[in-house]
Amino acid sequence: MDNSIFFKNKKYFIKDLFPAKKFRKNILIEGVKPLLSANKKDITIFDSQKYTKDAINTKAGFCITTEKLSKFLPANVEQIIVSNVLKEIALILIKIYPDANIDYPDSSLKLIKKSLKKGIKGVNFFLGKNVKIGKGTFIGTNTIIEHDVQIGSNCIIGSNVILKNCIIGNNVSIQDGCKIGQKGFGFLPNNIKNIKFPHIGKVNINNDVEIASGCTIDRGSVDDTCIGNNTYIDNQVHIAHNVKIGSNCMIAGQVGFAGSSTIGNNVSIGGQAGISGHLNIGNNVKIGGGSGVVKDVEDNQVIMGYPAKPLRDFLKKND
Amino acid sequence: MDNSIFFKNKKYFIKDLFPAKKFRKNILIEGVKPLLSANKKDITIFDSQKYTKDAINTKAGFCITTEKLSKFLPANVEQIIVSNVLKEIALILIKIYPDANIDYPDSSLKLIKKSLKKGIKGVNFFLGKNVKIGKGTFIGTNTIIEHDVQIGSNCIIGSNVILKNCIIGNNVSIQDGCKIGQKGFGFLPNNIKNIKFPHIGKVNINNDVEIASGCTIDRGSVDDTCIGNNTYIDNQVHIAHNVKIGSNCMIAGQVGFAGSSTIGNNVSIGGQAGISGHLNIGNNVKIGGGSGVVKDVEDNQVIMGYPAKPLRDFLKKND
Amino acid sequence: MDNSIFFKNKKYFIKDLFPAKKFRKNILIEGVKPLLSANKKDITIFDSQKYTKDAINTKAGFCITTEKLSKFLPANVEQIIVSNVLKEIALILIKIYPDANIDYPDSSLKLIKKSLKKGIKGVNFFLGKNVKIGKGTFIGTNTIIEHDVQIGSNCIIGSNVILKNCIIGNNVSIQDGCKIGQKGFGFLPNNIKNIKFPHIGKVNINNDVEIASGCTIDRGSVDDTCIGNNTYIDNQVHIAHNVKIGSNCMIAGQVGFAGSSTIGNNVSIGGQAGISGHLNIGNNVKIGGGSGVVKDVEDNQVIMGYPAKPLRDFLKKND
């Protein structure tokens, strides 16, 4: 299981996790995964009609879902019907991954005063245990790379950068002060004390990506946060948990993405635009600066405004 | 006096501070405080009708105010009538607190290479003198905690965090790269050289708060900046001086608060919304992402837009 | 040549840079500069009618331009006519300044554990080679000042600040976590691998400027990024490459400037406003918080909205 490189998981049998439920078989659970990547030994979740297509095709052994959605699941998936899917999955995740809901600082960090060996160049940076870094990669001063992070070759990691729970490709440039892989903004509100939602996902950054100064990219909750090949991201951009951005995109300064939206390839987004959560933005879409996108956008659209609409309508309205 | 733990104050008699004014008594001034927390040995300020209710109830010995507002003050308050309250108070603050208008780096900082004692865990962080940290608290790498800061127990302070002039409760989580307690954006414009307004307030962060990566929270000018219990704040949020946020609030990414606004309890604010200065936002208010709030908002309202209006009106307008 | 203090340039004869073109003379090129600062031994660029006035007055020896624009150039400028000016100049810059398109961390940095000598005060900060710092300047902890940076006297540089490729005046205050002088967001899109546009410019910060926490100010591409005297900038402001901000301006929190805009003197900009690229904003302009400015603005205007319009029109529309 992929995520286990960052978060240790405890082993439970399904019947011990849900003692009040009945199951056809009692299996030692491997992990919690999204609908399409879960296998027979995993628990998955299905909590919105938006994901019906994935639910129909899931190969998960067990699925936490609602009465209403349960009919879409294949017959061989054992259903765990609950009224509040997110609460149930949060409590299960806390049991299986007890360290994923709080970002404890990495106590394995070691100061590297100066490195020129193995092709890694840098002055005064910090590496956690099991970090893997490719040849020809530069690491900036005061940068912190936590345990198990993987970085490809010929990357430039700037200064004062913090990398955790992430896998980074080749030829990636991450400029000063970026923070990548921290827990996202997910919790169950509770008036005495909120329940923090564990984040067992990671951040995948593909080849040839450029991320400018001061960006924050949260790791996924159950799924991963992904940045596609050759996508360029300007300063102070905020990318929330589970966001997936395609290849060859251009994201200008101070853009913000709420959680779980998917952005196609060749998308350009102007400065300070905001993308709401759980949206699908198609390929080749152009989004004007300052726009607020609150609905799905089909391929090849040019949109602008708050709420964003086709450019022609925006211009007409603002004559 | 609370603030004196962060800023040394010089002692002046009231007659030496205002030699051109007449006073009934000559008192050694203890400090400068807001209307409601000032006592007989303090100077307070009253510069806007918005604060008339506080003015009526002040127990301050001395109050800098305007001719027009002076009638609201209790009879036993000695009035210092001026034409420009902010300028007068800035000059007095510079005299009494000469170190509060510029954030000199803390020269008392010591590097802690590795700590496991007293229940504080961390690798390579910096502590100033008189810092107090509770048991079970983790401190991230490269984090800087300046003199006299107080942190409760079981807190998680991330890496590359800077804390100064602040008091933090228990079970608080502050993620990577936050900057808390720096001087706010206050000054008297002047075409040759602006006069920096001293900031003698602090930041109070209550129990069970979560503050995500890259946020900035400025300390108060005369009053404090406050974050209530169990309030959660997402990445890259900017909270200006004197802002008071209640309990159980949810503030999404890249939200910005201008100075001196008060936010009630159970308020949720969507990503990239902006709250103008000196506003009162009631309890249980919901503010849509990207909104620009420019007026006070009563309890239980749902608002959206720029300028923000009730959701129904916003949706009608954008049909 | 100014910029050569930060970027080493290779020496080429003009005929070796453009072997397919014919020139009246073969000159050893000194550098690439903007229209008005280039001299006989420099190459300049002219790619938009917006800069016709500068083109008419250029003293450059050589100019890369289009067929259409070439008629505006003085007769003694040797023209290099191309179809894509930006691509051509990018390729030439990569040849002449091979280190300017990627921000390699500075390997000359040395840790200064504690400094009190020469009037520079600080604990645990990093200086690159040839850094010049004036008397009475404080440097914050973990701050990184890369090679050849110049800082005037009586400045306050906060903690976790990164300064590179910049020249800073006297009495400047830069608060915690600012990142100044990194490469801007400029590249030639290319579906396999974008071409990064070299940034050979620097950041000039004049006297008495205040820059609050977490700001990012990119260096110029061919020109410089400039902040005028006594201008104050609040937290989390993003200033892109080549932006020029005048004197005595007030820029509130989270404002963003796209590349190459020019802002006059005495301009005030409210929080979260965005200024599009390549605009001219006049003197004494007031821009309301949250505005999106997409057109040039004349002197003395008060504007607001998205897109920004005169305040009167904005208020009428939002009655």
Side-chain angles (χ1 to χ4, degrees):
Chain A
M1 197 212 168
D2 244 349
N3 292 317
S4 62
I5 64 171
F6 296 114
F7 299 101
K8 279 182 208 153
N9 54 338
K10 291 193 177 178
K11 292 292 183 184
Y12 287 93
F13 281 93
I14 188 73
K15 289 188 176 171
D16 298 326
L17 287 172
F18 300 96
K21 306 267 177 191
K22 287 192 176 170
F23 295 97
R24 298 194 292 265
K25 48 193 181 292
N26 194 16
I27 279 184
L28 191 69
I29 293 302
E30 286 197 341
V32 177
K33 292 189 194 164
L35 283 159
L36 288 186
S37 43
N39 67 36
K40 285 182 182 175
K41 296 181 177 172
D42 294 324
I43 300 169
T44 191
I45 52 172
F46 177 33
D47 66 335
S48 158
Q49 278 203 315
K50 275 214 155 194
Y51 304 111
T52 300
K53 202 176 148 195
D54 291 356
I56 290 168
N57 293 298
T58 188
K59 292 189 170 121
F62 305 90
C63 181
I64 302 176
T65 189
T66 62
E67 183 75 51
K68 204 175 161 186
L69 291 169
S70 62
K71 64 183 174 202
F72 297 109
L73 288 166
N76 55 336
V77 178
E78 297 215 48
Q79 301 173 359
I80 301 156
I81 308 284
V82 299
S83 55
N84 185 336
V85 174
L86 278 183
K87 183 170 181 185
E88 196 66 34
I89 195 69
L91 297 176
I92 291 299
L93 286 171
I94 288 168
K95 272 193 189 166
I96 302 182
Y97 304 93
D99 292 338
N101 63 343
I102 290 181
D103 283 12
Y104 296 99
D106 182 359
S107 61
S108 78
L109 289 176
K110 302 272 185 228
L111 172 63
I112 312 294
K113 289 197 176 172
K114 189 144 197 166
S115 167
L116 293 166
K117 62 184 173 184
K118 291 180 199 161
I120 303 163
K121 282 189 75 170
V123 174
N124 206 85
F125 57 94
F126 296 84
L127 294 187
K129 67 180 178 186
N130 300 326
V131 167
K132 294 195 181 78
I133 301 178
K135 281 190 184 177
T137 284
F138 289 72
I139 310 290
T141 296
N142 280 344
T143 282
I144 296 166
I145 303 177
E146 294 198 0
H147 64 87
D148 297 299
V149 164
Q150 297 174 16
I151 303 177
S153 55
N154 300 314
C155 292
I156 310 290
I157 312 298
S159 295
N160 276 5
V161 169
I162 304 177
L163 302 178
K164 54 179 77 163
N165 313 304
C166 61
I167 295 178
I168 294 173
N170 301 317
N171 304 310
V172 170
S173 173
I174 296 176
Q175 291 185 314
D176 300 336
C178 285
K179 295 159 270 285
I180 295 177
Q182 60 280 353
K183 187 183 79 70
F185 193 61
F187 58 96
L188 302 168
N190 187 312
N191 263 357
I192 295 161
K193 191 172 176 175
N194 299 328
I195 300 170
K196 293 174 195 281
F197 197 95
H199 279 61
I200 62 169
K202 56 187 183 298
V203 177
N204 286 317
I205 294 177
N206 282 279
N207 297 330
D208 300 309
V209 165
E210 181 176 297
I211 300 170
S213 298
C215 292
T216 52
I217 305 180
D218 292 347
R219 70 176 181 268
S221 53
V222 173
D223 207 345
D224 293 331
T225 304
C226 300
I227 313 290
N229 286 313
N230 202 39
T231 279
Y232 274 41
I233 297 171
D234 197 1
N235 293 349
Q236 298 192 23
V237 168
H238 161 56
I239 299 176
H241 50 193
N242 310 321
V243 167
K244 291 180 200 315
I245 299 178
S247 299
N248 302 315
C249 294
M250 295 185 250
I251 318 289
Q254 297 181 320
V255 165
F257 295 86
S260 303
S261 281
T262 298
I263 316 299
N265 301 318
N266 308 310
V267 171
S268 71
I269 307 183
Q272 296 187 329
I275 315 294
S276 290
H278 297 273
L279 298 183
N280 274 298
I281 310 295
N283 297 313
N284 313 311
V285 168
K286 290 185 199 308
I287 299 173
S291 296
V293 183
V294 296
K295 303 195 288 199
D296 289 356
V297 181
E298 290 182 10
D299 289 354
N300 308 312
Q301 297 292 302
V302 181
I303 62 169
M304 190 158 185
Y306 166 72
K309 47 176 74 83
L311 185 62
R312 204 169 34 179
D313 299 349
F314 175 79
L315 294 174
K316 207 192 303 172
K317 192 167 179 121
N318 289 283
D319 258 358
Chain B
M1 195 212 169
D2 243 349
N3 292 316
S4 63
I5 65 170
F6 297 114
F7 300 100
K8 279 181 207 152
N9 55 339
K10 291 194 176 176
K11 294 290 185 185
Y12 287 92
F13 281 93
I14 188 72
K15 289 188 178 173
D16 297 326
L17 287 172
F18 301 95
K21 306 268 175 189
K22 287 192 176 170
F23 296 97
R24 297 193 292 265
K25 51 195 179 290
N26 194 18
I27 279 184
L28 191 68
I29 293 302
E30 286 197 342
V32 178
K33 293 190 195 164
L35 283 159
L36 288 186
S37 43
N39 66 37
K40 285 182 183 175
K41 295 180 177 173
D42 294 323
I43 299 169
T44 191
I45 51 172
F46 177 34
D47 67 336
S48 158
Q49 276 204 315
K50 276 214 155 193
Y51 304 109
T52 300
K53 203 176 147 193
D54 292 356
I56 290 168
N57 294 297
T58 188
K59 291 188 171 123
F62 305 89
C63 182
I64 301 176
T65 189
T66 61
E67 183 74 53
K68 203 175 162 188
L69 291 169
S70 62
K71 64 183 173 200
F72 297 107
L73 288 166
N76 54 337
V77 179
E78 296 216 48
Q79 301 174 357
I80 301 155
I81 308 284
V82 299
S83 55
N84 184 336
V85 174
L86 279 183
K87 183 170 181 184
E88 197 67 33
I89 195 70
L91 298 176
I92 290 300
L93 285 170
I94 288 168
K95 271 193 189 165
I96 301 182
Y97 304 93
D99 292 336
N101 63 343
I102 290 181
D103 283 12
Y104 295 99
D106 182 359
S107 62
S108 78
L109 289 175
K110 301 271 185 228
L111 173 63
I112 313 294
K113 289 196 175 173
K114 189 145 196 165
S115 167
L116 293 166
K117 62 184 175 187
K118 291 180 197 162
I120 303 162
K121 282 190 74 169
V123 175
N124 207 86
F125 57 94
F126 296 84
L127 295 187
K129 67 180 180 186
N130 299 326
V131 167
K132 295 195 181 79
I133 301 178
K135 281 191 184 177
T137 284
F138 289 71
I139 309 290
T141 297
N142 280 345
T143 282
I144 296 165
I145 303 177
E146 295 198 0
H147 65 88
D148 297 299
V149 164
Q150 297 175 16
I151 302 176
S153 55
N154 300 312
C155 291
I156 310 289
I157 311 297
S159 295
N160 277 5
V161 169
I162 304 176
L163 302 179
K164 55 179 73 163
N165 313 306
C166 61
I167 294 178
I168 294 172
N170 300 318
N171 304 309
V172 170
S173 173
I174 296 176
Q175 291 186 314
D176 300 335
C178 285
K179 294 159 271 282
I180 295 176
Q182 60 281 353
K183 186 184 78 71
F185 193 62
F187 57 95
L188 302 168
N190 187 312
N191 262 356
I192 295 160
K193 192 172 176 176
N194 299 328
I195 300 170
K196 293 175 196 281
F197 198 95
H199 279 61
I200 62 169
K202 58 187 180 298
V203 177
N204 286 317
I205 295 177
N206 281 279
N207 297 331
D208 299 308
V209 165
E210 181 175 297
I211 300 170
S213 299
C215 292
T216 52
I217 306 180
D218 293 346
R219 71 176 181 267
S221 53
V222 173
D223 207 344
D224 293 330
T225 304
C226 300
I227 314 289
N229 286 313
N230 201 39
T231 279
Y232 275 40
I233 297 172
D234 198 359
N235 294 348
Q236 298 191 24
V237 168
H238 162 55
I239 299 176
H241 50 194
N242 309 322
V243 167
K244 291 180 200 315
I245 298 178
S247 299
N248 302 314
C249 294
M250 296 185 251
I251 318 287
Q254 297 179 320
V255 165
F257 296 86
S260 302
S261 282
T262 297
I263 317 297
N265 301 319
N266 308 309
V267 172
S268 72
I269 307 183
Q272 296 186 329
I275 314 296
S276 290
H278 296 274
L279 298 183
N280 274 298
I281 311 294
N283 297 313
N284 314 311
V285 169
K286 290 186 199 307
I287 300 173
S291 297
V293 183
V294 295
K295 302 195 288 199
D296 288 356
V297 181
E298 289 181 10
D299 289 354
N300 308 311
Q301 296 293 302
V302 180
I303 62 169
M304 189 159 186
Y306 167 72
K309 47 175 74 83
L311 184 63
R312 203 170 34 180
D313 299 348
F314 175 77
L315 294 175
K316 206 191 306 172
K317 193 168 178 119
N318 288 283
D319 259 358
Chain C
M1 197 214 168
D2 244 350
N3 292 316
S4 63
I5 66 170
F6 296 113
F7 301 101
K8 279 181 208 152
N9 55 340
K10 291 193 177 177
K11 293 292 185 184
Y12 286 92
F13 281 94
I14 188 72
K15 290 188 175 170
D16 299 326
L17 287 172
F18 301 95
K21 306 268 176 189
K22 288 192 176 170
F23 296 98
R24 297 194 292 264
K25 51 194 179 292
N26 195 17
I27 279 183
L28 191 69
I29 293 301
E30 287 196 341
V32 178
K33 293 190 194 162
L35 283 159
L36 288 186
S37 43
N39 68 37
K40 284 182 183 176
K41 295 179 178 174
D42 294 323
I43 300 170
T44 191
I45 51 172
F46 176 34
D47 66 337
S48 158
Q49 277 203 315
K50 273 213 156 193
Y51 304 110
T52 300
K53 202 176 149 194
D54 291 356
I56 289 169
N57 293 299
T58 188
K59 291 188 171 125
F62 306 89
C63 182
I64 302 177
T65 189
T66 62
E67 184 74 52
K68 204 174 160 187
L69 291 169
S70 61
K71 66 184 172 201
F72 297 108
L73 288 167
N76 53 337
V77 178
E78 296 216 48
Q79 302 174 357
I80 301 156
I81 308 283
V82 299
S83 55
N84 185 335
V85 173
L86 278 183
K87 183 170 181 184
E88 197 66 34
I89 196 70
L91 298 177
I92 291 299
L93 286 171
I94 288 168
K95 272 193 189 165
I96 302 182
Y97 304 93
D99 292 337
N101 64 341
I102 291 181
D103 282 12
Y104 296 99
D106 182 359
S107 62
S108 79
L109 290 175
K110 302 273 185 228
L111 172 62
I112 312 295
K113 289 194 175 175
K114 190 145 196 165
S115 166
L116 294 165
K117 62 185 173 185
K118 290 181 199 160
I120 303 162
K121 283 190 73 170
V123 175
N124 206 84
F125 58 94
F126 297 84
L127 295 187
K129 67 180 180 187
N130 300 326
V131 167
K132 295 195 181 80
I133 301 178
K135 281 192 183 176
T137 284
F138 288 72
I139 310 290
T141 297
N142 280 345
T143 283
I144 296 166
I145 303 177
E146 295 198 359
H147 65 87
D148 298 298
V149 164
Q150 297 174 16
I151 302 176
S153 56
N154 300 312
C155 292
I156 310 289
I157 312 297
S159 295
N160 277 4
V161 169
I162 304 177
L163 302 179
K164 55 180 71 162
N165 312 305
C166 60
I167 295 178
I168 293 173
N170 300 318
N171 303 310
V172 170
S173 173
I174 296 176
Q175 290 185 314
D176 300 335
C178 285
K179 295 159 271 285
I180 295 176
Q182 61 280 353
K183 186 183 80 70
F185 193 61
F187 58 96
L188 302 168
N190 187 314
N191 263 357
I192 295 162
K193 191 171 175 176
N194 300 328
I195 300 170
K196 293 175 196 281
F197 198 95
H199 279 61
I200 62 169
K202 56 187 184 297
V203 177
N204 286 317
I205 294 177
N206 282 279
N207 297 332
D208 299 309
V209 165
E210 180 175 298
I211 299 170
S213 298
C215 292
T216 53
I217 305 180
D218 293 346
R219 71 177 180 268
S221 53
V222 173
D223 207 344
D224 293 330
T225 304
C226 300
I227 313 291
N229 286 313
N230 201 39
T231 279
Y232 274 41
I233 297 172
D234 198 0
N235 293 350
Q236 298 191 24
V237 168
H238 162 55
I239 300 176
H241 50 194
N242 309 322
V243 167
K244 290 179 200 316
I245 299 178
S247 299
N248 301 315
C249 294
M250 295 186 251
I251 318 287
Q254 297 180 320
V255 165
F257 296 86
S260 303
S261 282
T262 298
I263 316 299
N265 301 319
N266 308 309
V267 171
S268 71
I269 306 183
Q272 295 186 331
I275 314 295
S276 290
H278 296 274
L279 298 183
N280 275 297
I281 310 295
N283 297 313
N284 313 310
V285 168
K286 291 186 199 306
I287 299 173
S291 297
V293 183
V294 296
K295 303 194 288 198
D296 289 355
V297 181
E298 289 182 10
D299 289 354
N300 308 312
Q301 296 293 302
V302 181
I303 62 170
M304 190 159 186
Y306 166 74
K309 47 176 74 82
L311 185 63
R312 203 169 35 179
D313 299 348
F314 174 78
L315 293 174
K316 207 192 305 172
K317 191 166 181 122
N318 287 284
D319 257 359

